[in-house]
Amino acid sequence: MLLNQTIKNLRRVREILAILVKYGFDDVISQAGLDKLVSERLHLEWNRKDRPAFEYSTYERLRLACEELGPTFIKFAQVLSSRPDLLPGKLIKELEKLQSHVSPFPTQDAVNIIEAETGEKIYKLFRDFSDEPIGAASIGQVHRAVMRDGEQVVIKVRRPTIKATVATDIAIIKDLMQRAEGFLEKRFGVIHAMDAVTAFEKSIQKELDYRTEARHIQQFRNQYRNSSKFYVPKVYSNYCSERVLVMEYVEGVPINNIAQLKEWGLKPERIAEKGLDVYLTQIFENGYFHADPHPGNVLVRKDGTICLIDYGMMGKITKKDKFAFAGLLTSMAQEDPRRMALNFKRLAIEDQIEDLRMFEYELNELIEDFAFLSVEESNISELILRLQKIIYDYRIRIPSSVFLIMRALAIIDGIGKKLHPKFQANEFIVPYGIKLFAEQYSEANIRNELLYRGSQFISLFNNIPVEVKQILRKTRKGELSIRMEHHGYDDGIDRIERIINKVSLAVVTSAVVIASAITTTTSWPGMSRVYGIPYISFLGFAIAAGLFLLLVYNMLGRGNTK
């Protein structure tokens, strides 16, 4: 229960409910059964910046409410915005506008945290430490520093109370979702809400622990240590902990700083192609990729090397899903809706595609809309939005890593078009898809697949005798139980039960009448009489009359209403 889980945080619960009311979401609170926690006065405060809340659309009000609810809700909404299998497209578009306006926390608090985590005084760790943070986010903030050996570094420090705040908010979100999950689907089109909360909880827990990000950086650095076009900054593992991350400072500019790129003598067109190639290599060759490639996280060094920073959000895709996703892209490029539909089915965890032919027709319409566009007209973002709508409409659940890839490709395509007016991402994506298609049907992969399937069959045949033995043993001991569930018989069973109840009532009534009649012929010394009938007989006839009236009522009235 909400109050049992968050009794110490009742003030936060009231804050959340007050903001929901402020933006006109009284119905959500009502469905969650929390009306009593909201005062009547709050229902009159439907204003945002002197403008009535209901002048905004429903989805705009959701975004504004998330902004006001704080970091946890902003992060949750941002995660949801990359899940088009759970949210309708218009809501996703609105949530993508979310910005986290967070003020930095005091530098002395950051210093205290660093000293507590490392066990050393700040002046012993660093030759120089910036008093002003160079960036602040909902999870932490970043300071520049110089190591004792002269190495320039950046230090991420987690906010002092963010872990407790996130834990409290997630407990509240979970309870609200459990109480109003069905209503959220009906009202806002949000499906599988609890699945989203569970996924978010796992994601945010990893993001709160900077040791996870340190491992991501180290893994990337090992993979690309020999690359001449992609650089991964060094991480200082000895100084890293759950609350502190120390990594190399990289001199560079955001990839969309065209003026600086040209001043350095670099061709923006070449940088766009190189950046896309770096990402496609991560996704389709390694299956492990940086999942947040907005321009601020993609730097270009003076020599033209691409450098990624902020490894908090990562994606991983299995070989099976990689093959299915590549097949999806190549079949679209080859204008084959039938194979595209089959690859969608292969990629899906579950779906509600009842009419495969109709699904193929819709995919064919998508192909016709995008296959013949010129370079200037083509837009991966629009294509992905259409794909996401199909995924939502057909309730196709696919791995979350695939959505991260779609989002990353859309961002990269947008950056590429700014750097390179004739940038055509498809020209780079399709060859990777064809390469993966060839790899899927290579001799080595087919051999591995056959070995895997063979091991499954061997495991099945090895387990059959054990399973049969267990069934026989339970049968011999009388422990075997069979559970049966009937579906579609509820109305019939209810009708039979009502008939049995009426027959039983009739039998009891008859029995009481017969017993009362017999007692009238019996001598009862000293018993009073009513209308010449022994009192006990009269009482029996009265009970029988009452039962008879109840029987008639059931037959003619309430009993026939169903």
Side-chain angles (χ1 to χ4, degrees):
M1 293 294 288
L2 180 64
L3 292 179
N4 292 336
Q5 291 175 348
T6 59
I7 193 68
K8 293 181 181 179
N9 304 293
L10 188 56
R11 182 180 298 173
R12 178 58 177 159
V13 177
R14 289 185 182 277
E15 283 176 9
I16 291 169
L17 297 181
I19 291 169
L20 289 176
V21 169
K22 177 179 177 180
Y23 289 99
F25 297 119
D26 306 60
D27 48 359
V28 176
I29 296 170
S30 178
Q31 287 293 320
L34 301 172
D35 314 60
K36 293 180 181 177
L37 293 178
V38 183
S39 67
E40 275 300 319
R41 179 181 58 82
L42 291 173
H43 289 270
L44 304 175
E45 298 182 359
W46 290 338
N47 284 295
R48 162 86 178 193
K49 297 178 181 176
D50 300 323
R51 180 178 167 190
F54 285 103
E55 287 188 11
Y56 296 90
S57 71
T58 301
Y59 294 155
E60 281 179 316
R61 285 187 283 122
L62 269 174
R63 172 177 60 81
L64 294 170
C66 287
E67 283 180 354
E68 198 162 332
L69 285 165
T72 309
F73 287 83
I74 291 173
K75 282 277 183 186
F76 183 42
Q78 288 171 337
V79 169
L80 283 176
S81 70
S82 65
R83 293 298 304 272
D85 57 332
L86 304 180
L87 269 61
K90 288 182 179 178
L91 177 54
I92 285 176
K93 241 181 168 180
E94 195 60 44
L95 294 182
E96 284 174 344
K97 300 175 186 175
L98 274 169
Q99 298 294 324
S100 182
H101 304 290
V102 184
S103 301
F105 58 90
T107 298
Q108 188 56 50
D109 289 350
V111 169
N112 293 342
I113 291 169
I114 294 169
E115 291 180 344
E117 293 294 300
T118 60
E120 294 280 354
K121 290 293 182 182
I122 198 81
Y123 62 84
K124 288 187 177 180
L125 293 170
F126 307 108
R127 184 192 300 175
D128 185 41
F129 181 86
S130 65
D131 287 334
E132 292 297 321
I134 59 174
S138 55
I139 300 296
Q141 66 188 34
V142 182
H143 291 261
R144 280 191 66 177
V146 180
M147 303 289 286
R148 280 287 160 193
D149 60 4
E151 289 269 2
Q152 293 198 52
V153 296
V154 291
I155 308 165
K156 276 188 176 182
V157 186
R158 197 178 75 190
R159 288 183 175 272
T161 60
I162 189 66
K163 192 171 185 179
T165 301
V166 167
T168 300
D169 285 351
I170 286 178
I172 296 168
I173 291 171
K174 273 184 174 179
D175 196 81
L176 285 171
M177 291 295 183
Q178 285 172 347
R179 290 167 177 263
E181 187 171 16
F183 178 74
L184 289 172
E185 180 173 355
K186 190 183 299 182
R187 173 84 158 79
F188 304 110
V190 179
I191 59 177
H192 304 300
M194 280 307 299
D195 290 353
V197 176
T198 303
F200 170 66
E201 186 174 15
K202 290 179 182 177
S203 169
I204 196 72
Q205 291 302 335
K206 289 179 181 178
E207 203 169 338
L208 284 168
D209 189 344
Y210 284 148
R211 291 171 297 188
T212 304
E213 185 173 352
R215 287 193 294 271
H216 291 160
I217 297 170
Q218 193 57 55
Q219 187 171 343
F220 254 68
R221 190 171 171 83
N222 292 338
Q223 281 183 334
Y224 295 97
R225 59 180 175 272
N226 298 321
S227 175
S228 59
K229 56 187 176 184
F230 179 43
Y231 182 76
V232 180
K234 176 183 175 183
V235 63
Y236 294 80
S237 303
N238 293 339
Y239 298 92
C240 296
S241 68
E242 183 182 346
R243 297 193 291 169
V244 174
L245 172 69
V246 181
M247 60 187 288
E248 177 186 355
Y249 174 76
V250 177
E251 287 282 357
V253 295
I255 193 170
N256 60 352
N257 190 338
I258 297 173
Q260 185 62 63
L261 295 179
K262 287 181 176 179
E263 191 177 316
W264 285 344
L266 301 172
K267 292 184 177 179
E269 297 87 352
R270 179 70 187 118
I271 295 297
E273 293 170 0
K274 189 187 289 187
L276 180 60
D277 188 51
V278 164
Y279 254 89
L280 294 178
T281 302
Q282 291 177 35
I283 294 165
F284 292 118
E285 289 190 10
N286 299 326
Y288 184 62
F289 57 94
H290 184 287
D292 193 17
H294 68 75
N297 285 341
V298 185
L299 303 182
V300 182
R301 302 204 296 179
K302 200 169 185 178
D303 61 358
T305 307
I306 303 291
C307 178
L308 297 175
I309 59 174
D310 194 351
Y311 290 77
M313 188 186 294
M314 304 295 295
K316 200 165 191 175
I317 186 168
T318 65
K319 184 177 281 190
K320 173 182 170 292
D321 292 336
K322 194 163 57 173
F323 287 150
F325 186 61
L328 189 69
L329 296 177
T330 53
S331 55
M332 182 176 177
Q334 294 166 356
E335 301 172 34
D336 187 346
R338 185 169 177 272
R339 193 156 63 84
M340 195 176 175
L342 292 175
N343 278 298
F344 246 128
K345 295 281 283 184
R346 286 174 58 202
L347 195 59
I349 298 168
E350 64 174 321
D351 62 71
Q352 292 183 17
I353 304 172
E354 296 174 359
D355 188 340
L356 193 58
R357 289 290 297 276
M358 185 60 68
F359 185 56
E360 288 176 17
Y361 285 134
E362 189 151 351
L363 292 176
N364 187 59
E365 187 179 329
L366 174 72
I367 290 170
E368 288 178 349
D369 287 347
F370 285 90
F372 305 107
L373 295 177
S374 65
V375 173
E376 292 79 11
E377 294 173 321
S378 65
N379 189 324
I380 281 189
S381 297
E382 290 297 325
L383 171 61
I384 286 173
L385 282 175
R386 284 283 296 276
L387 283 172
Q388 289 176 346
K389 185 177 186 307
I390 290 171
I391 289 167
Y392 180 80
D393 289 345
Y394 284 89
R395 298 294 193 266
I396 302 172
R397 294 185 67 194
I398 62 179
S400 57
S401 56
V402 175
F403 292 120
L404 291 176
I405 291 173
M406 288 182 175
R407 178 176 174 272
L409 291 178
I411 294 171
I412 292 165
D413 183 60
I415 294 171
K417 279 187 162 38
K418 287 181 180 177
L419 298 176
H420 189 341
K422 294 186 177 180
F423 185 72
Q424 178 58 288
N426 283 340
E427 291 179 3
F428 294 86
I429 295 171
V430 171
Y432 274 95
I434 293 170
K435 184 180 176 182
L436 278 174
F437 185 77
E439 182 187 336
Q440 182 181 1
Y441 294 102
S442 66
E443 183 182 340
N445 196 63
I446 290 173
R447 184 173 62 250
N448 290 337
E449 186 68 18
L450 288 173
L451 287 172
Y452 173 70
R453 297 298 176 191
S455 66
Q456 283 187 314
F457 276 113
I458 292 169
S459 176
L460 173 65
F461 285 119
N462 284 339
N463 286 334
I464 285 174
V466 178
E467 298 290 342
V468 171
K469 188 176 179 180
Q470 287 180 348
I471 291 170
L472 292 174
R473 185 171 65 248
K474 286 187 176 182
T475 304
R476 188 170 59 250
K477 291 182 177 180
E479 296 174 352
L480 186 68
S481 60
I482 298 174
R483 180 180 173 184
M484 297 180 66
E485 291 186 5
H486 296 281
H487 297 282
Y489 296 104
D490 293 345
D491 289 342
I493 291 171
D494 287 344
R495 194 172 293 113
I496 291 169
E497 284 181 352
R498 288 198 298 272
I499 292 170
I500 291 171
N501 288 339
K502 290 171 186 176
V503 170
S504 300
L505 190 57
V507 169
V508 171
T509 303
S510 301
V512 173
V513 169
I514 292 168
S516 300
I518 291 171
T519 56
T520 59
T521 62
T522 306
S523 176
W524 298 91
M527 179 175 285
S528 59
R529 291 176 174 267
V530 180
Y531 301 112
I533 303 171
Y535 178 76
I536 193 168
S537 301
F538 180 81
L539 183 61
F541 283 129
I543 293 171
L547 292 173
F548 176 73
L549 290 173
L550 180 61
L551 179 61
V552 171
Y553 174 68
N554 277 331
M555 291 177 67
L556 302 178
R558 185 180 59 182
N560 294 327
T561 59
K562 291 184 180 180

